[in-house]
């Protein structure tokens, strides 16, 4: 099992670290355009192998895509990160060119790979990969919902005063501050609906805190977060590599599901060795359907800024 991570910045390096620590991949290739940067990160990470007990080989390369050949899974994290006050959508002009070039180079050396897109605005970058490559739709996945759901569960556990292992919940919709649809009505604490424990006002606060989760961290850190994004990607990679058939909300190309067409947006999917094994359609309330429709309109508007 060979995994390539493009972009050795904070998110990419964090992603490579979590994949290595989980010890399911034989090799992780970390690629960056900055001379020696990925090599340095890879060496630093490899020096933790004996301390963290993993045998995954981490290789760093500077812009040499031949070293990524025959990768089973490729993760694209490259692009400029958010700065305080920036929306994910404002990154589109620069990041579209980067993602298009990177995906083309990856597929040239690994035609049967599965691509996971992390670069923002993620739903639109995932759609771009669909429109500019010949990969089948089950092999192009956008990572946003797994991260947003982790942030949702963090806020739910905080509100409940419960351990996170007790809490389950999911966020669907666009990976943007306005586009996220946290499914509070479906969220549970050990199979009991969280509405049994929390007032409607407190649940609404959890929902709003979840939606600005990324912006909150950008304001505190001065740049995008990296630990949780890296962990979320590693979860998707492991589910695919180990054929776990796990359900995650991911940005995928919809063709009629949820009444939506010709866009990528976060919905629950089953992940396995073929990438997206199945898109799961769940029953939504009228309010959730309205939020999802509004979210889709926002994603479509951003897609319209692409120069395809």
């Amino acid at each position: 099992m060979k995994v390539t991570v493009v972009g050795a910045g904070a998110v990419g390096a964090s992603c490579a670290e979590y994949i290595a620590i989980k010890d399911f991949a034989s090799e992780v290739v970390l690629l960056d355009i900055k001379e020696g940067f990925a090599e340095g990160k890879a060496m630093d990470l490899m020096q933790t192998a004996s301390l963290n007990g993993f045998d995954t080989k981490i290789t760093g390369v500077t812009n040499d895509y031949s070293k990524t050949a025959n990768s089973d899974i490729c993760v694209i994290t490259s692009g400029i990160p958010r700065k305080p006050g920036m929306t994910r959508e404002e990154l589109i002009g620069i990041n579209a060119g980067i993602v298009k070039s990177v995906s083309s180079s990856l597929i040239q050396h690994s035609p049967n790979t599965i691509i996971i897109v992390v670069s923002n605005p993620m739903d639109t970058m995932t759609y771009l990969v669909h429109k500019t490559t010949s990969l089948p739709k089950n092999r192009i996945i956008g990572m946003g919902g797994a991260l947003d759901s982790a942030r949702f569960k963090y806020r739910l556990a905080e509100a409940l005063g419960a351990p996170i292992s007790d809490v389950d919940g999911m966020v669907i919709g666009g990976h943007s501050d306005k586009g996220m649809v946290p499914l509070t009505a479906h969220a549970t604490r050990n199979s009991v609906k969280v509405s049994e424990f929390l007032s409607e006002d407190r649940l609404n606060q959890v929902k709003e805190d979840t939606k600005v989760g990324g912006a909150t961290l950008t304001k505190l850190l001065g740049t995008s977060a990296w630990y949780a994004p890296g962990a979320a990607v590693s979860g998707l990679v492991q589910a695919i590599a180990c054929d776990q058939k796990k359900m995650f909300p991911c940005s995928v190309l919809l063709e009629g599901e949820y009444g939506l067409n010709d866009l990528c947006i976060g919905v629950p999917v089953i992940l396995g060795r073929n990438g997206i094994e199945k898109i799961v359609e769940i029953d939504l309330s009228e309010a959730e359907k309205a939020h999802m429709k509004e979210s889709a309109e926002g994603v479509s508007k951003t897609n319209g800024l692409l120069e395809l």
Side-chain angles (χ1 to χ4, degrees):
M1 175 56 57
K2 181 175 178 178
V3 180
T4 287
V5 179
V6 182
V11 173
S14 172
C15 173
E17 179 181 16
Y18 288 125
I19 291 168
I21 285 173
K22 292 177 180 181
D23 213 20
F24 59 84
S26 52
E27 183 180 8
V28 175
V29 176
L30 197 53
L31 183 146
D32 202 276
I33 57 167
K34 188 178 175 184
E35 188 70 41
F37 190 61
E39 290 88 338
K41 289 275 183 101
M43 189 183 292
D44 193 13
L45 284 169
M46 281 304 294
Q47 289 169 4
T48 73
S50 62
L51 301 166
N52 286 326
F54 66 80
D55 294 313
T56 301
K57 179 186 175 187
I58 307 170
T59 308
V61 297
T62 302
N63 227 22
D64 182 0
Y65 282 87
S66 68
K67 297 290 197 298
T68 71
N70 302 314
S71 291
D72 298 278
I73 303 164
C74 294
V75 180
I76 303 175
T77 73
S78 17
I80 57 166
R82 284 167 89 184
K83 299 284 190 294
M86 280 180 91
T87 66
R88 291 181 178 93
E89 290 73 21
E90 286 172 317
L91 305 171
I92 188 166
I94 297 168
N95 288 358
I98 294 170
V99 170
K100 188 176 177 181
S101 167
V102 167
S103 56
S104 172
S105 299
L106 289 170
I107 293 165
Q108 186 182 341
H109 295 280
S110 304
N112 298 313
T113 196
I114 291 165
I115 287 183
I116 298 176
V117 180
V118 184
S119 310
N120 280 315
M122 184 278 299
D123 298 295
T124 296
M125 294 299 102
T126 306
Y127 182 72
L128 176 67
V129 176
H130 277 285
K131 290 296 177 183
T132 57
T133 71
S134 56
L135 283 185
K137 62 178 278 188
N138 61 297
R139 291 206 256 127
I140 303 170
I141 301 162
M143 191 295 292
L147 170 61
D148 299 332
S149 297
R151 288 173 171 162
F152 183 38
K153 286 181 262 194
Y154 161 74
R155 289 300 186 185
L156 282 169
E158 180 184 56
L160 290 161
I164 285 184
S165 57
D166 248 16
V167 176
D168 201 14
M170 188 188 293
V171 177
I172 61 172
H175 182 55
S176 67
D177 301 358
K178 292 179 182 175
M180 287 180 216
V181 185
L183 299 176
T184 48
H186 299 255
T188 60
R189 178 181 183 176
N190 237 334
S191 303
V192 181
K193 290 193 172 186
V194 293
S195 54
E196 298 278 333
F197 305 98
L198 299 173
S199 68
E200 190 176 344
D201 282 352
R202 189 66 183 92
L203 268 175
N204 281 332
Q205 186 61 53
V206 164
K207 189 187 289 189
E208 292 311 309
D209 287 344
T210 299
K211 288 164 82 168
V212 295
T216 302
L217 285 161
T218 301
K219 192 175 176 183
L220 290 168
L221 296 166
T223 187
S224 299
W226 58 89
Y227 294 123
V233 175
S234 75
L236 303 192
V237 173
Q238 186 174 24
I240 295 164
C242 301
D243 199 24
Q244 289 178 333
K245 305 292 196 291
K246 271 194 172 184
M247 184 161 73
F248 286 96
C250 294
S251 187
V252 298
L253 186 67
L254 298 184
E255 296 173 311
E257 300 91 351
Y258 292 90
L260 300 171
N261 276 289
D262 193 38
L263 85 164
C264 294
I265 198 166
V267 296
V269 301
I270 305 298
L271 291 181
R273 196 63 192 85
N274 297 309
I276 299 157
E277 303 282 351
K278 182 184 180 186
I279 294 173
V280 180
E281 292 198 66
I282 56 175
D283 290 330
L284 300 176
S285 67
E286 290 307 312
E288 288 164 346
K289 283 177 187 172
H291 287 142
M292 190 67 167
K293 185 170 180 281
E294 191 180 328
S295 178
E297 285 166 0
V299 171
S300 292
K301 189 177 174 185
T302 307
N303 290 350
L305 301 173
L306 287 172
E307 295 175 6
L308 292 170

